[in-house]
Structure formats: C-alpha cells, structure tokens
Amino acid sequence: MSKQLDMFKTNLEEFASKHKQEIRKNPEFRVQFQDMCATIGVDPLASGKGFWSEMLGVGDFYYELGVQIIEVCLALKHQNGGLITLEELHQQVLKGRGKFAQDVSQDDLLRAIKKLKVLGSGFGIIPVGGTYLVQSVPAELNMDHTVVLQLAEKKGYVTVSEIRSSLKWETERAKQVLEHLLKEGMAWLDTQAAGEPQYWLPALFTELYSQEITPEEAQEAIP
Amino acid sequence: VCNTAGVKFDSGVLLLSTHRLIWRDQKNHECCIAIPLSQIVFIEEQAAGIGKSAKIVAHLHPASSNKEPGPFQSSKYSYVKLSFKEHGQIEFYRRLSEEITQRRWENMPTGQTIQVNKDPQAGRIRAVGIVGIERKLEEKRKETDKNISEAFEDLSKLMEKAKEMVELSKSIANKIKEKQGDITEDETIRFKSYLLSMGIANPVTRETYGSGTHYHMQLAKQLAGILQTPLEERGGIMSLTEVYCLVNRARGLELLSPEDLVNACKMLESLKLPLRLRIFDSGVMVIELQSHNEEEMVASALETVSEKGSLTADEFAKLVGMSVLLAKERLLLAEKMGHLCRDDSVEGLRFYPNLFMTQS
C-alpha cells in the first residue's frame, strides 16, 4: 500500500500546486470538495497530519475557525444560554476575523462545528425554520425541545397555547419543555405579556431587531 | 438591497454610474438589478449599530408606467435600503449624493456612455464608463469560471484516485481481520498511519481509542510539556475545548484537529505522562494533572457551599474562579458522592449540603 500512497501523495501535490488558492478563496469550491470527499469515504479534516490538511491547507482553515467559534460562543453564553443562530455566529466570527481575513461561509462554520463535537463540550447543530441554531453547552436537548425551538423561531417567543395548538401536546408536556429551556438559560420568561406568559429565546433576539419593519408592521407585531 | 417586504438581495456589489445604481450578485453574475438615478428623490444614512450594518435609504419616485421589468412590478414601499455589510457606506453615500446633486444624466443621453480616450503614443483605446466596467467584470468572471471548471475537472480526477485508495484500504483491512496472527504489530501501526494520512476511518475496528499512531504518541508527549504550567495555573484541570484553543493559538500554523487532540489525550495515561484525560458522566472531557484529585476538590467545594448555604454553578464558578462548565461538573460529582443535593427549579439548579447524610 505504501507505493500507492506515495503515488497518491504526488497526485495530491500536483492538484495542490494548481488549485490550493482556489480552495482558499472559493467557498463553493470548498463545498464541492468536502462533498466529494464524503461521498468516497474520506474525511479531509480528520487529522492535521493528513495529506489533505498538509498539502491543501484545508486543515488549518477549519481548525482555526473552530477556535474562533468556541470563543464567540463562550463570550455570548451568559446572554443566550449557549444557543446562537448560525447567522449571528457568522457575523460575530467575521467581525473577529477582521476585514482583510479570508472569507468564511456558513457552510464552513457548520463543518467546523461538526468537528468540534468530538471535544465533548456539547457542540451541536439544531435545524430550525430554514436555518440552524448552534448549541455550545452540554445541555440535553431532545426532540421535544428541538421542536419547540423551531416553533419559537418565527417570532422569537412561544407560549403554552401555541404549543398546544400547533403541536397538539398536553399542557404538562409543553410546560416541562419550557421549564427545561428556562433552567438552561436558553429561554427568558415574560410574565407581563398581555394574555399569557411568553417564553423568549435570546438566541433569536438579533434576528428580530435587525429586521427592518415599517411602523405598520410594528403595530401588527405587538399584541 | 432590501425593500422591507422582506425581500433581500444579499451578497452583491453595488455600482454607481452617472445614470444608474446597479446591484450585481457576487456569486451569480447574471443576477443584476438597477435603478435609474432619476428615480431617487433623496437619500439618507442610517448608522451601523449592534447587529446592524450601516445603510443608505433611497427614497424613490413612484414607478413610471414605462418602467422596465424588474424584481417587482410594484411595491407598496417607496424606498429601498442598501445595506453595507462590510464597509464602503460612507464613501458610497458621498459619491451618490454628488451624482444626485449634479444630475449628469440630464446632460448625457443614455446609450452614449462610452467615452473613448485615444492614447496617442500607445494607440490604445480604453473604454470608460459603465460599459467599460461591465466588460472588465465580464472578463474577470470568464477567467474565474474557466479556472473553476478546470479545478472541478482536476478535483474529480483526484477523487477517483482517492476512491481507489479507500477500496485498497478496505481490502487490506479484511486481510488483517482474517490473518490475525500473521500481521505484525509494526505493520498494523503502519497501516493505521496510512489511514491517518488519507483521512480514512479505521475499517477494522471503527475505533477511535487506540487508533493512536506514532504521531499521536509524539503529540501526547508534546502536550504533556505544553500543558503542565497552564494546568497548574488553572487549579489542575481544564476542559478539552480550552486545551484545543490554547494549543492551537500557541501553534499558529499546522494546527491540531479536534480528533488529533482527543486521540493524543487518550494515550496520555498509557504513556505514563503526568496528565490524564477524564470523561465525566455528562460527556464533558477534561485534562487533569495526575496530581490533581477531583474527589479531594469536592471536599473543599462542600465547604464553600456550606459557608454560603447554597450555590448555583454560576455562583460557585465566580467564587472559586473556575469556568462554569467545570464548576458544574464538580458540583455534580459532589452530588454523586452524596455530599450535595440539588434543588432543581425553574430558577435554576442550586446545590445544598446534603443534610440527609450529615444529620440524622
């Protein structure tokens, strides 16, 4: 096998000399590259000592991104309980990297996060309404919790009644889930809301207040 | 660009000419929208804020009946917002203001936006104006596209070869499984390092424990050296994510993958190094000094909690100067050992000395 390996290494070196820059600069090309690797059963990010990492430099790019992601999540954890939208994470990471750093796509972030899971500190990805929430604390979030997060994503908050009507759950089940999210610091309770208490997700706050709305829309949104 | 019906055109380049404001999608160059400057009534700036980028709002005249086709036939909003995610808002605002003030489009009929300058010496013709810019962009795009299609071709060929390697490794792995006795330890180790180089999971065991190669052994020894002092400074214990950040920030280049780190740490104990990997029930992974005894730390944690009556993980972390993650693990361990008991409510998880044990 070592002969084959040497041959492959040469092929990879050739590829790298022609296209290393392309991988660096083009997020779409990176996606293609990663997808192809996955299809054939190769993980180019498994080890910094792997050929892919050494010759194409993909390793350093993603591992460094991992460090930046960890730092952003840690910095914001006290605010959002360890849940953050992929968009906000993306913005914060870009800010930290500075204007002249290499561009990073959301796909890049997702791949880096998938690698971080192995470190055991609770990194996970939760799909919600077309985007993702990134979890960075070892809180147990099961299917019930995830589904409620997805429901809350539309308005940034959710109520027991909404859960009952949308998901057809019993009150007790809804309350258990909401209390768990409260305990973990991922949800905040607004008991002063007209009608019934609202459970807000700070992870979704920037999504909300960064959407520009007209005065008419604002009137409609506030009960 | 967004018109607040929620429709956004993201990630593009904004171009200003004497006649028009043009937006072009960075990824899909065919996608391009434009507004004649004559449609703009006035513009205003919106400063950047937290989570908000700097913006220019362009208020428009109502669309004329002979309006060219665009993203919308009509809209109930009379303005569009240009959001500058990176930079350039200030400069762009200044120039846009200039163009709107000067109204040069009134003097120059559209279609004749090419000004041709003949350079007498070189005899070259440079196309200036919007057509010139568009042409340059087109050339650049063609060049990029050509590079990309060549790259994809080369990539596909490379992947074919990589696939062969994967097949080869599977057949070798099968041989190893069959002829257990005939394969030397050395050969097995070499095979593992081949898999590492290619990024192929070990087909025999699918294991990560002991998938350690010489590389991981060396790495483990290095880590023992690097982490001794930081561990001492942090009370003898650090989470694996902390270690990952610390080590990679120090390296700067040739960074470790998360898997590299875990595989190396799994070898610490067997190599008799002064650190060890510990995995808590919650799945949280830490590196401890061999001399560190978490169970002893629990005794002092109990004292601290008793002094204060009760503590949450956050409060304990602040008091003792630990990360919240590790503080929580210590309190959970204390609970497991029977020294603390919990009060789990909506207000959070609070720990109390376990009086059931101490007071009968």
Side-chain angles (χ1 to χ4, degrees):
Chain A
M1 182 164 174
S2 60
K3 242 191 285 178
Q4 301 281 61
L5 205 70
D6 284 336
M7 245 180 45
F8 181 79
K9 194 171 171 190
T10 314
N11 287 328
L12 185 54
E13 270 168 352
E14 215 190 292
F15 180 84
S17 65
K18 289 192 349 191
H19 303 297
K20 187 171 176 175
Q21 281 305 334
E22 202 56 51
I23 292 209
R24 250 179 49 87
K25 290 193 294 182
N26 188 339
E28 279 162 4
F29 193 50
R30 278 201 292 278
V31 172
Q32 274 283 0
F33 168 73
Q34 294 273 18
D35 284 347
M36 283 189 178
C37 284
T39 310
I40 63 174
V42 160
D43 182 359
L45 299 182
S47 172
K49 202 80 175 100
F51 287 158
W52 308 97
S53 183
E54 285 185 332
M55 283 184 257
L56 289 179
V58 272
D60 278 7
F61 173 73
Y62 285 99
Y63 307 147
E64 188 186 6
L65 197 50
V67 173
Q68 291 162 346
I69 291 169
I70 291 171
E71 290 177 343
V72 165
C73 288
L74 199 60
L76 294 174
K77 190 170 70 159
H78 68 281
Q79 223 178 61
N80 56 32
L83 268 190
I84 186 171
T85 58
L86 188 60
E87 277 81 22
E88 191 182 353
L89 181 61
H90 192 201
Q91 267 180 19
Q92 298 288 350
V93 166
L94 285 177
K95 238 193 267 182
R97 285 167 73 92
K99 264 188 260 188
F100 304 106
Q102 198 183 336
D103 189 30
V104 160
S105 69
Q106 287 189 0
D107 182 81
D108 292 328
L109 288 177
L110 288 174
R111 290 185 198 273
I113 293 167
K114 287 194 185 125
K115 284 286 142 199
L116 291 178
K117 277 192 198 183
V118 79
L119 295 175
S121 292
F123 271 91
I125 297 171
I126 304 169
V128 292
T131 176
Y132 297 93
L133 282 175
V134 174
Q135 180 185 350
S136 59
V137 288
E140 228 208 79
L141 293 182
N142 59 30
M143 285 289 299
D144 274 9
H145 302 123
T146 311
V147 137
V148 166
L149 288 175
Q150 289 167 345
L151 195 57
E153 191 262 345
K154 304 196 190 92
K155 294 189 285 184
Y157 71 90
V158 74
T159 60
V160 174
S161 315
E162 280 168 10
I163 296 177
R164 282 172 54 104
S165 61
S166 301
L167 303 175
K168 309 279 183 274
W169 288 2
E170 301 289 317
T171 306
E172 197 48 49
R173 185 177 175 188
K175 279 204 168 143
Q176 265 193 24
V177 168
L178 293 171
E179 281 175 9
H180 183 82
L181 293 175
L182 273 181
K183 255 192 287 189
E184 293 295 338
M186 294 175 179
W188 293 1
L189 179 58
D190 178 8
T191 50
Q192 296 181 335
E196 63 179 301
Q198 295 173 342
Y199 294 78
W200 288 79
L201 298 187
L204 300 172
F205 282 178
T206 47
E207 279 267 298
L208 293 178
Y209 72 70
S210 69
Q211 276 173 18
E212 308 291 331
I213 56 176
T214 63
E216 298 91 61
E217 278 182 329
Q219 280 226 309
E220 280 175 58
I222 298 171
Chain B
V1 181
C2 101
N3 77 343
T4 70
V7 179
K8 290 201 277 189
F9 290 89
D10 250 2
S11 299
V13 173
L14 199 59
L15 300 165
L16 175 65
S17 80
T18 50
H19 285 63
R20 294 183 292 172
L21 200 55
I22 300 170
W23 180 90
R24 176 173 242 142
D25 192 319
Q26 218 165 42
K27 299 201 172 136
N28 174 12
H29 292 268
E30 308 293 348
C31 174
C32 187
I33 55 177
I35 299 176
L37 292 183
S38 51
Q39 285 292 102
I40 300 180
V41 178
F42 77 94
I43 56 174
E44 55 179 331
E45 288 184 285
Q46 276 183 1
I50 305 171
K52 287 198 289 187
S53 49
K55 294 185 173 61
I56 295 178
V57 183
H59 295 263
L60 308 172
H61 286 294
S64 56
S65 49
N66 62 349
K67 181 174 100 73
E68 293 196 334
F72 301 94
Q73 246 332 91
S74 68
S75 165
K76 58 176 168 161
Y77 304 105
S78 62
Y79 57 90
V80 287
K81 290 197 182 188
L82 312 168
S83 174
F84 291 76
K85 294 241 151 93
E86 307 227 316
H87 42 79
Q89 185 257 352
I90 298 170
E91 187 59 30
F92 204 95
Y93 181 83
R94 188 173 72 77
R95 287 176 185 255
L96 184 56
S97 304
E98 265 179 42
E99 292 300 330
I100 293 179
T101 316
Q102 288 175 15
R103 305 183 76 89
R104 287 193 275 174
W105 63 83
E106 291 179 347
N107 305 328
M108 293 193 290
T110 47
Q112 281 191 16
T113 49
I114 310 175
Q115 292 149 29
V116 176
N117 295 330
K118 253 197 180 157
D119 185 323
Q121 276 115 332
R124 277 184 293 140
I125 299 177
R126 278 182 350 164
V128 193
I130 197 66
V131 173
I133 297 174
E134 284 181 337
R135 201 176 286 167
K136 280 201 200 116
L137 281 174
E138 188 63 31
E139 276 169 20
K140 188 168 173 214
R141 187 178 68 85
K142 282 209 187 110
E143 187 62 39
T144 315
D145 281 352
K146 187 168 78 81
N147 287 343
I148 290 182
S149 44
E150 206 192 300
F152 279 140
E153 250 186 66
D154 288 345
L155 181 66
S156 305
K157 285 192 209 139
L158 185 73
M159 287 299 164
E160 281 302 314
K161 306 221 170 77
K163 193 167 173 192
E164 286 169 19
M165 299 297 296
V166 175
E167 295 307 320
L168 182 59
S169 73
K170 281 194 194 143
S171 69
I172 293 182
N174 280 332
K175 285 197 198 129
I176 290 182
K177 240 196 296 190
E178 289 160 24
K179 315 198 270 175
Q180 278 288 15
D182 287 11
I183 307 290
T184 67
E185 173 135 356
D186 230 25
E187 285 172 336
T188 314
I189 292 184
R190 221 176 329 142
F191 179 57
K192 281 185 182 170
S193 78
Y194 293 158
L195 295 178
L196 186 74
S197 300
M198 285 298 302
I200 301 172
N202 190 332
V204 179
T205 56
R206 297 246 150 253
E207 64 180 358
T208 40
Y209 191 94
S211 72
T213 61
H214 284 304
Y215 169 62
H216 292 118
M217 272 200 284
Q218 278 180 346
L219 195 48
K221 292 178 191 158
Q222 274 179 28
L223 286 173
I226 299 170
L227 295 175
Q228 183 75 26
T229 311
L231 278 169
E232 283 167 8
E233 288 170 355
R234 287 165 180 73
I237 184 170
M238 281 172 78
S239 75
L240 214 53
T241 33
E242 280 178 271
V243 172
Y244 177 77
C245 291
L246 190 98
V247 170
N248 275 340
R249 282 251 176 254
R251 283 174 84 116
L253 285 178
E254 293 187 6
L255 304 182
L256 302 182
S257 76
E259 273 153 85
D260 285 336
L261 183 61
V262 172
N263 286 332
C265 289
K266 283 178 168 167
M267 300 184 86
L268 287 171
E269 197 128 29
S270 59
L271 290 173
K272 309 248 188 304
L273 292 164
L275 327 171
R276 62 166 167 254
L277 175 69
R278 178 177 183 154
I279 306 179
F280 287 113
D281 293 342
S282 60
V284 170
M285 297 164 90
V286 297
I287 300 293
E288 303 179 314
L289 287 172
Q290 282 286 5
S291 57
H292 177 90
N293 189 332
E294 188 66 10
E295 279 72 10
E296 278 172 13
M297 303 307 292
V298 160
S300 84
L302 173 59
E303 266 184 52
T304 314
V305 173
S306 305
E307 268 171 49
K308 298 288 176 180
S310 72
L311 288 174
T312 63
D314 278 321
E315 292 165 354
F316 180 62
K318 262 198 208 122
L319 258 169
V320 175
M322 282 177 90
S323 73
V324 178
L325 185 77
L326 295 181
K328 188 167 182 188
E329 290 302 326
R330 186 164 294 172
L331 292 175
L332 287 172
L333 184 61
E335 182 193 33
K336 189 173 173 184
M337 289 166 66
H339 298 298
L340 295 178
C341 56
R342 68 169 58 190
D343 174 20
D344 209 351
S345 73
V346 165
E347 322 228 323
L349 181 57
R350 187 166 279 280
F351 290 92
Y352 291 77
N354 185 359
L355 299 178
F356 293 110
M357 284 266 284
T358 55
Q359 298 175 2
S360 43

